[in-house]
Amino acid sequence: MEKHINEKYQESYYSETLSNGLHVVLWKKEDYAKSLFMMSTPLGAMDLEQVDEAGKHYCYHAGIAHFLEHKMFEMGEQDVMELFSRMGANVNAFTSYNETAYYFSTSNDIKKPLELLMNFIQTLQISKESVEKEKGIIVQELNMYQQMPDNRLLMETFSSLFQNHPLKYDIGGDAESVCTTTLEELQQCYCRNYHPSNMVLFGIGDFDVEAVMQLIRENQDKKEFSNQPRLYRKEVVEPHEVARKEYRFAMDISIKKQAIAYKLTGLKDSSMRNRMEWCFKIMLDAYFSSLNPEFQAWIDGGIINDYIGSEVDFGEDHGLIMFYGESNDEMRFKDIVAKTWKRMQQEAVDKEMVERLKRRYFGQSLRSLNSFDDIAITYIRNYFEGLDMFDALECIDHICEEDFEQAREILKNADMAYVVIEPENS
């Protein structure tokens, strides 16, 4: 078991990779009553095509990672959530585009819920009948999200940006993909992606680290796992052009919602992606937030309201920057976005503003270290990216003008998609 210490953040954790490949991290937080444990696999909504070390391809229906998340909470006739509840623990799970995670928190003894967490994740007990029943539940859930304007705006923007990339699909897939998913497909996907060598178990709290690590070792030593080849997400060949230049639809809203998104090229190097994302966040905060002196004039002029923001996301084979807001004045909203995009491409951010934002991000990082959920998710996501969590946080301190110059180069020749939700009565 290796100890990792970060003097700057005054935090430490222990890690060990077990003989079956499971990577375990135990983060000591003294004087906290709560403990949290999270177990995650890098199977996400984007993993629709995978390739193993031998070059063999595996294909799945959209939404399979989310479908598996639903089915994992069955252990034969037992309800996993009810079992955790009896132990005084709260359990939950989520599926993102890049991972699926299961976690519990408790202020009681952690031994029984931790054993249960490992056991239910490492056992798939589902029947054809339960899979068929679940399809209706998931389709109903997807229909519910379709009625949420903010979620619908995001999904239609992704669908407008990408022609081939799985980001064009909802995390849960769609009714057709869900209804055509089979028991056999779920079982095969589970066996390939839920092997211990593919997963991380993260725990945080004020507990005896050695005792908890021994409990985990003993639990894993009792189990046998068949060898599974290492899997990789198949890289998607995505055209430069967006799938739809403009898309409009109506919902029950009072003010138009708009998204303007720019499609960029992905970045293979994870450290580079991390640096570029920080650069773009600084640019967006400097030019498209209340830090911009013109921001209040945009509000006073009725161009925007409090519903306004931006997002940046990069992967190995995709990249995007999105602006969104509410405004019935489409042309003026598009104009401020266009001017912001031009400034991002051509202007150097004021050095004083850069330092101000660096201090802000450092403060946010410090506050996040008081949240067990934030620590667990941040560590796991960085681990799957091959990054050290603290190196990723401290990257912001080392960003220089050369990085901004590289970021501005990335913005050139981007293609744009425009999505609008109009009020139904208009």
Side-chain angles (χ1 to χ4, degrees), residues 100-161:
T100 308
Y102 306 84
Y103 58 99
F104 76 85
S105 61
T106 185
S107 298
N108 298 330
D109 184 69
I110 63 174
K111 182 178 179 180
K112 289 184 177 180
L114 177 54
E115 292 265 16
L116 178 57
L117 181 72
M118 291 184 284
N119 291 342
F120 94 81
I121 291 174
Q122 294 181 326
T123 306
L124 182 65
Q125 299 180 18
I126 56 176
S127 64
K128 185 175 181 179
E129 292 73 22
S130 70
V131 169
E132 293 303 313
K133 181 180 179 181
E134 198 70 35
K135 291 178 180 180
I137 296 171
I138 295 175
V139 169
Q140 187 176 16
E141 178 183 331
L142 294 176
N143 290 337
M144 177 185 70
Y145 286 127
Q146 284 286 311
Q147 302 307 312
M148 298 179 178
D150 293 351
N151 182 78
R152 183 80 185 281
L153 180 68
L154 176 67
M155 293 315 307
E156 294 296 351
T157 301
F158 284 1
S159 294
S160 292
L161 283 175

Side-chain angles (χ1 to χ4, degrees), residues 325-338:
E326 281 184 343
S327 178
N328 285 324
D329 193 335
E330 286 190 44
M331 296 307 298
R332 293 174 72 192
F333 179 78
K334 291 175 75 173
D335 184 57
I336 64 170
V337 170

